[in-house]
Amino acid sequence: MKYQNFENTEVRGEGDDVDEDLRLLLIGKTGSGKSATGNIIFNDRVFKSVMSSSSVTRSCKSHTGNVNNRSVRVIDTPDFIFSTRTDFDSDSELKKALELCSPGAHVILLLLSLSTFTEQEMDFTGWFEQKFGEEALRFTVVLFTHAGQRHMRTLAEMIRMNPQLSDFINRCGQRYHEFNIKAPANRGQVTELIEKIERLISDNTNSCYTLDMMLETERRREERERRAEEEKREKEERRREEERRERIREEERREREHQMQLERVKIETENSVRRYIEQEKQKREEEEKREEEKRKEEEKRKEEEKKEEEEKSGDEEIESEHTALERDSGFKHVVKENKYIIGAGVSVSVVVIVLVFVLLKIFSSTQP
Ligand SMILES: Nc1nc2c(ncn2[C@@H]2O[C@H](COP(=O)(O)OP(=O)(O)O)[C@@H](O)[C@H]2O)c(=O)[nH]1
Ligand SMILES: [Mg+2]
């Protein structure tokens, strides 16, 4: 491998206007081997590649060179999602990468390290799909690096055992390649990769993944997020509205319960007042009845007394009457008994009176 000193490498920036046969965009986590892959492709040390946990490639770099008699432009990029730099603007750097690919990338080489194949790798494929859009998968070749450190028997087996990965590979049209950077002398792996790339370009009828596609993806994602946000807000509003209605319903229910309670209390009060009045009335009636009975008894007593008195006085009367009667009957008896005597007396009296009268007449006639 003919390594050049990195400092002397011709690294093109934004605005380069070279008519290449092939434009390749390298995407992957820090340490996945993007810069090293670029160097292998050119068989030259054109990008800085060192063993480091932090991002060595700080900004996008483009290099155009001759590979297998083809003009190839490779765009090396920093780690867009796991960057340790605080001043790193992922979105603008990503746009810069696409601008460096202008008018577009024929192929996106998505690098996944087999030595550190963890959930982070799958997170990266998720980020890639979300950021570049589903359309980008049409231009993607998955490049597994650090193949020498692969613990699995075969790469195909490893892919099969990871449903998420095999699904992703499927959606990339089963395009993947294995690279062992530590065997740079093996140009066969580069040739093989270039062949796969050429097949893909031909399948895509020379079309490219462009910045506009990514911007359109971004626009759609923003639209989706805006709609999701709107739906979330509407859902929240509906939830609040439902809560408000529920509160009103609860208040109405409580009010109804309160009214019912009031009504119950009112009815109970009315009933107890009615019962009280009824009892009072009953008491009064009983009282009156007792009074009446008392009065009647009094009257009866008085009547009896009167009667007794009357009886008493009656007895006396009878007695006097009896006495009178007795007297009367005695008299009558006397009269009866002396009837003839009385008759004789009366006759004698009449005779006497007549005599007296006659005498008086005679006497008056003899007088002058
Ligand atoms: N053993 C091995 N080492 C690799 C491989 N690819 C990259 N490396 C090493 O990993 C380190 C980081 O590589 P680099 O290309 O700078 O990663 P980048 O951050 O993706 O650009 C370097 O020391 C490389 O030599 C590989 O396939 N196998
Ligand atoms: Mg790098």
Side-chain angles (χ1 to χ4, degrees):
M1 186 173 176
K2 184 183 69 157
Y3 277 114
Q4 289 179 9
N5 186 326
F6 179 76
E7 294 347 302
N8 300 327
T9 303
E10 183 201 3
V11 178
R12 292 175 190 275
E14 196 178 348
D16 291 342
D17 193 19
V18 183
D19 189 20
E20 307 92 347
D21 296 331
L22 200 57
R23 288 179 294 276
L24 302 177
L25 175 64
L26 299 169
I27 299 284
K29 271 171 50 184
T30 300
S32 60
K34 299 178 292 293
S35 304
T37 300
N39 292 342
I40 281 243
I41 288 170
F42 290 115
N43 197 23
D44 205 346
R45 195 184 168 90
V46 293
F47 301 114
K48 189 177 181 181
S49 168
V50 287
M51 184 68 100
S52 169
S53 59
S54 64
S55 191
V56 172
T57 308
R58 287 164 180 259
S59 59
C60 302
K61 300 275 186 309
S62 151
H63 178 81
T64 304
N66 200 296
V67 180
N68 293 354
N69 295 321
R70 295 192 63 165
S71 171
V72 177
R73 191 194 322 179
V74 173
I75 293 92
D76 188 17
T77 61
D79 187 333
F80 289 107
I81 55 168
F82 300 110
S83 173
T84 49
R85 284 167 51 200
T86 49
D87 60 335
F88 183 69
D89 183 352
S90 171
D91 283 348
S92 63
E93 202 59 40
L94 196 54
K95 273 172 200 153
K96 191 179 162 195
L98 265 302
E99 277 164 3
L100 288 174
C101 285
S102 183
H106 290 102
V107 171
I108 301 166
L109 282 177
L110 183 77
L111 275 73
L112 298 177
S113 168
L114 286 170
S115 69
T116 58
F117 198 84
T118 57
E119 286 225 333
Q120 259 197 10
E121 258 71 17
M122 291 323 297
D123 285 351
F124 192 85
T125 59
W127 167 85
F128 171 73
E129 207 174 338
Q130 184 238 325
K131 207 74 188 170
F132 283 70
E134 213 179 322
E135 219 177 343
L137 301 186
R138 198 156 61 86
F139 302 92
T140 304
V141 173
V142 179
L143 187 64
F144 290 100
T145 56
H146 295 261
Q149 293 170 46
R150 171 162 50 81
H151 304 300
M152 308 296 295
R153 268 186 302 180
T154 64
L155 184 59
E157 196 179 2
M158 197 211 102
I159 294 169
R160 213 174 36 249
M161 284 177 74
N162 188 329
Q164 208 183 338
L165 178 64
S166 56
D167 176 56
F168 182 73
I169 300 273
N170 261 340
R171 280 181 294 118
C172 290
Q174 284 294 330
R175 283 181 302 272
Y176 64 90
H177 190 68
E178 202 172 11
F179 236 37
N180 187 7
I181 283 152
K182 290 292 169 191
N186 183 4
R187 289 302 297 165
Q189 58 184 348
V190 178
T191 310
E192 232 179 89
L193 177 68
I194 297 290
E195 276 169 15
K196 282 185 183 172
I197 287 169
E198 277 173 350
R199 243 194 328 273
L200 174 59
I201 293 169
S202 144
D203 289 349
N204 283 337
T205 56
N206 225 36
S207 60
C208 301
Y209 181 81
T210 64
L211 175 63
D212 282 350
M213 286 179 179
M214 198 176 73
L215 292 176
E216 178 59 17
T217 302
E218 196 177 304
R219 196 193 60 72
R220 275 197 227 125
R221 194 188 62 251
E222 279 172 3
E223 179 64 20
R224 260 200 315 277
E225 281 172 3
R226 194 187 57 74
R227 239 180 281 138
E229 192 59 40
E230 216 164 90
E231 271 172 30
K232 198 176 151 192
R233 210 181 50 247
E234 280 173 9
K235 207 172 155 188
E236 182 62 22
E237 270 170 26
R238 277 202 299 278
R239 192 187 62 77
R240 283 214 197 108
E241 180 61 19
E242 191 47 47
E243 263 181 19
R244 196 181 66 82
R245 283 189 192 156
E246 186 54 40
R247 235 183 359 256
I248 291 173
R249 276 200 292 273
E250 181 62 22
E251 275 169 19
E252 283 175 352
R253 194 185 62 74
R254 277 201 202 136
E255 180 61 26
R256 268 201 309 279
E257 221 164 69
H258 181 66
Q259 286 301 331
M260 274 161 71
Q261 214 164 341
L262 278 181
E263 193 63 25
R264 263 202 306 276
V265 169
K266 193 181 147 202
I267 289 170
E268 272 170 23
T269 312
E270 274 178 8
N271 282 346
S272 61
V273 167
R274 203 170 290 132
R275 262 198 315 277
Y276 177 75
I277 291 172
E278 204 67 30
Q279 279 171 357
E280 284 300 302
K281 195 180 160 193
Q282 215 170 328
K283 265 192 211 166
R284 221 173 34 249
E285 279 177 2
E286 278 172 10
E287 190 80 13
E288 278 175 8
K289 209 172 155 188
R290 270 202 304 279
E291 286 284 317
E292 181 67 20
E293 278 173 4
K294 223 165 144 185
R295 200 179 51 75
K296 276 184 181 166
E297 261 174 35
E298 187 67 21
E299 264 178 20
K300 202 175 160 190
R301 198 181 54 74
K302 276 184 184 170
E303 217 161 87
E304 275 174 3
E305 272 177 17
K306 203 174 153 191
K307 214 169 164 186
E308 260 174 38
E309 254 171 48
E310 272 174 8
E311 269 175 14
K312 220 165 146 189
S313 62
D315 279 358
E316 279 171 3
E317 224 166 79
I318 288 167
E319 211 172 286
S320 62
E321 218 166 82
H322 193 67
T323 318
L325 273 172
E326 265 184 3
R327 214 169 35 236
D328 196 38
S329 69
F331 177 71
K332 278 181 182 171
H333 181 72
V334 170
V335 168
K336 199 179 168 183
E337 278 194 352
N338 300 296
K339 199 163 88 179
Y340 298 110
I341 302 164
I342 292 163
V346 169
S347 305
V348 170
S349 301
V350 170
V351 171
V352 167
I353 288 163
V354 169
L355 270 172
V356 167
F357 190 70
V358 171
L359 280 170
L360 277 169
K361 213 70 176 158
I362 294 163
F363 181 72
S364 61
S365 58
T366 60
Q367 293 280 316

PDB file of all heavy atoms in Angstrom, residues 35 48 57 76, ligand 2:
ATOM      1  N   SER A  35     -12.364   6.525   7.547  1.00  0.00           N
ATOM      2  CA  SER A  35     -11.145   7.111   6.964  1.00  0.00           C
ATOM      3  C   SER A  35     -10.237   6.008   6.432  1.00  0.00           C
ATOM      4  O   SER A  35      -9.684   6.116   5.324  1.00  0.00           O
ATOM      5  CB  SER A  35     -10.421   7.946   8.023  1.00  0.00           C
ATOM      6  OG  SER A  35     -11.308   8.921   8.527  1.00  0.00           O
ATOM      7  N   LYS A  48      -7.017  11.032   7.435  1.00  0.00           N
ATOM      8  CA  LYS A  48      -6.352  10.744   8.704  1.00  0.00           C
ATOM      9  C   LYS A  48      -7.119   9.638   9.423  1.00  0.00           C
ATOM     10  O   LYS A  48      -8.333   9.757   9.668  1.00  0.00           O
ATOM     11  CB  LYS A  48      -6.318  12.003   9.570  1.00  0.00           C
ATOM     12  CG  LYS A  48      -5.466  11.849  10.796  1.00  0.00           C
ATOM     13  CD  LYS A  48      -5.434  13.166  11.573  1.00  0.00           C
ATOM     14  CE  LYS A  48      -4.545  13.021  12.801  1.00  0.00           C
ATOM     15  NZ  LYS A  48      -4.526  14.263  13.568  1.00  0.00           N
ATOM     16  N   THR A  57     -11.939  12.534  12.691  1.00  0.00           N
ATOM     17  CA  THR A  57     -12.392  13.334  11.549  1.00  0.00           C
ATOM     18  C   THR A  57     -13.416  14.327  12.072  1.00  0.00           C
ATOM     19  O   THR A  57     -14.509  13.950  12.487  1.00  0.00           O
ATOM     20  CB  THR A  57     -13.023  12.422  10.475  1.00  0.00           C
ATOM     21  OG1 THR A  57     -12.100  11.371  10.195  1.00  0.00           O
ATOM     22  CG2 THR A  57     -13.339  13.182   9.222  1.00  0.00           C
ATOM     23  N   ASP A  76     -15.323  11.567   3.166  1.00  0.00           N
ATOM     24  CA  ASP A  76     -15.162  11.046   4.526  1.00  0.00           C
ATOM     25  C   ASP A  76     -15.906  12.005   5.465  1.00  0.00           C
ATOM     26  O   ASP A  76     -15.909  13.222   5.277  1.00  0.00           O
ATOM     27  CB  ASP A  76     -13.658  11.009   4.867  1.00  0.00           C
ATOM     28  CG  ASP A  76     -13.400  10.303   6.194  1.00  0.00           C
ATOM     29  OD1 ASP A  76     -14.312   9.584   6.672  1.00  0.00           O
ATOM     30  OD2 ASP A  76     -12.299  10.488   6.766  1.00  0.00           O
TER      31      ASP A  76
HETATM   32 MG    MG B   2     -12.364   9.275  10.378  1.00  0.00          MG
END
